[in-house]
Each structure stands twice: as structure tokens, then as C-alpha cells.
């Protein structure tokens, strides 16, 4: 086409940019990286809010010891031991004891929360630290009856909102006097 045949109103043709063949894979890779960061952030956030789903059985432990048998009407003393086996401290630790029917609470060391004979606010337990509670009382009931003390602890891990629990049970049997 000659110079005369060109329309002055038409723009002159510009050279087309040729895209490198690797442009599309780079965009896909970039998109995958963004999706991975979003997914990773969601996983981290959910474990901080809801916990990591691991079993709590070995994290914080509770054990109850006392006599296997008790003579009707005699005093009984139980020892409750709580131990933090976590890699970090635990907070808001509370211990609850559900006493069997026929148990009369007399005292505990340390003392329970004021006005509640079966609740202790232990607060914060450092890593590998523990707490021991001694509970004294008197058991009355049918001779030969097995009476169960149920203990539950609740606690929070640092940075988690979810309360975790651990429990223990202790059973003693009432025997007749003079046996």
C-alpha cells in the first residue's frame, strides 16, 4: 500500500506485544501461592480459637488417692494431685469434686472457693508444675456400698479460648465397724 492510499484519520499500526509462553503459568503459580497463604492463615487461626484437636489426657493430669475401704462413720482423707505436662503454662485452672451421697465435707487444704465445698480456683500452673489438695470428711451409707468421688479439672492453654478438661474417679467401699 502506498503513501497515498493511507487514510490520515486511521492510526498507524503499532507492533503487537508478544507474550512470553510462561506468562500464564506464572499467574497460576501466583494464584496458588495466595490461596496457600489464605488456607494456612485460616488453619492457624482456627487452631488458636478452637484448639488443636489433640487429646488432652496427657496434657494436664489429675489423680485421686485415698483408702480403698472405710469403716462406717470414720473420717476419710483424699488427696487430689493436678500436674501440668504441657510445653507451656496453663491458665484459668479450676478443680471440681462431686462428692458421693453420704459424704460430709469437714475441711480441705487449701480451702475451696468461699461458699462452695467442691470447687477450687487454682489459677495458673506453670510447665511441669502441680498442685495438691487434701479433702477430709466423713462417709456414711450402706455397709458394702461403693461410693465414687468424681473430679474434673478445667483449664485453658495460652492463646486459646476453648476450655480443656481432664477427669479422675475414686471409689471407696464402706465396711462394717470391727471388720
Amino acid at each position: 500500500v502506498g503513501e497515498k492510499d493511507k487514510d490520515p484519520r486511521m492510526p498507524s499500526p503499532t507492533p503487537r506485544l508478544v507474550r512470553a509462553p510462561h506468562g500464564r503459568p506464572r499467574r497460576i503459580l501466583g494464584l496458588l501461592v495466595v490461596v496457600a497463604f489464605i488456607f494456612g492463615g485460616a488453619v492457624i487461626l482456627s487452631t488458636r480459637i478452637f484448639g488443636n484437636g489433640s487429646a488432652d489426657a496427657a496434657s494436664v493430669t489429675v489423680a485421686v488417692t485415698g483408702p480403698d475401704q472405710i469403716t462406717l462413720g470414720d473420717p476419710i482423707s483424699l488427696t487430689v494431685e493436678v500436674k501440668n505436662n504441657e510445653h507451656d503454662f496453663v491458665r484459668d485452672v479450676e478443680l471440681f469434686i462431686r462428692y458421693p451421697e453420704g459424704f460430709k465435707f469437714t475441711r480441705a487444704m487449701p480451702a475451696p472457693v468461699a461458699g462452695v465445698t467442691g470447687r477450687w480456683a487454682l489459677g495458673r500452673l506453670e510447665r511441669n508444675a502441680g498442685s495438691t489438695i487434701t479433702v477430709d470428711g466423713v462417709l456414711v451409707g450402706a455397709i458394702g456400698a461403693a461410693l465414687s468421688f468424681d473430679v474434673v479439672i478445667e483449664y485453658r492453654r495460652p492463646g486459646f479460648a476453648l476450655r480443656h478438661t481432664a477427669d479422675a474417679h475414686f471409689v471407696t467401699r464402706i465396711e462394717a465397724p470391727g471388720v
Side-chain angles (χ1 to χ4, degrees):
V1 184
E3 279 297 314
K4 291 200 277 189
D5 296 331
K6 286 188 181 178
D7 186 357
R9 292 175 294 178
M10 294 292 287
S12 63
T14 57
R16 267 189 119 179
L17 295 176
V18 178
R19 185 173 284 161
H22 61 281
R24 185 172 180 166
R26 274 192 178 170
R27 274 190 288 173
I28 292 172
L29 180 62
L31 182 61
L32 287 175
V33 168
V34 168
V35 168
F37 275 117
I38 291 171
F39 180 74
V43 168
I44 291 170
L45 182 62
S46 70
T47 58
R48 291 305 242 173
I49 293 172
F50 300 112
N52 62 5
S54 66
D56 291 327
S59 299
V60 176
T61 56
V62 59
V64 186
T65 56
D68 292 333
Q69 295 183 349
I70 186 80
T71 302
L72 181 64
D74 280 355
I76 184 172
S77 184
L78 301 175
T79 302
V80 180
E81 294 181 357
V82 177
K83 180 149 192 243
N84 176 13
N85 301 307
E86 286 279 328
H87 299 294
D88 203 351
F89 70 92
V90 291
R91 62 188 175 91
D92 303 334
V93 180
E94 288 187 286
L95 183 133
F96 302 90
I97 299 178
R98 191 183 72 186
Y99 302 115
E101 188 175 326
F103 177 78
K104 175 151 176 49
F105 175 89
T106 54
R107 70 183 185 121
M109 194 60 162
V113 172
V116 184
T117 61
R119 179 174 169 251
W120 286 260
L122 303 177
R124 178 178 167 140
L125 282 180
E126 295 298 327
R127 176 183 178 197
N128 294 321
S131 183
T132 301
I133 296 169
T134 304
V135 177
D136 297 326
V138 177
L139 266 178
V140 293
I143 294 172
L147 301 175
S148 177
F149 293 81
D150 300 316
V151 179
V152 175
I153 56 169
E154 293 182 351
Y155 62 95
R156 288 191 173 117
R157 293 179 177 139
F160 290 88
L162 184 68
R163 291 188 70 80
H164 300 273
T165 62
D167 62 354
H169 308 280
F170 175 78
V171 177
T172 190
R173 194 168 291 286
I174 298 178
E175 61 182 32
V179 173

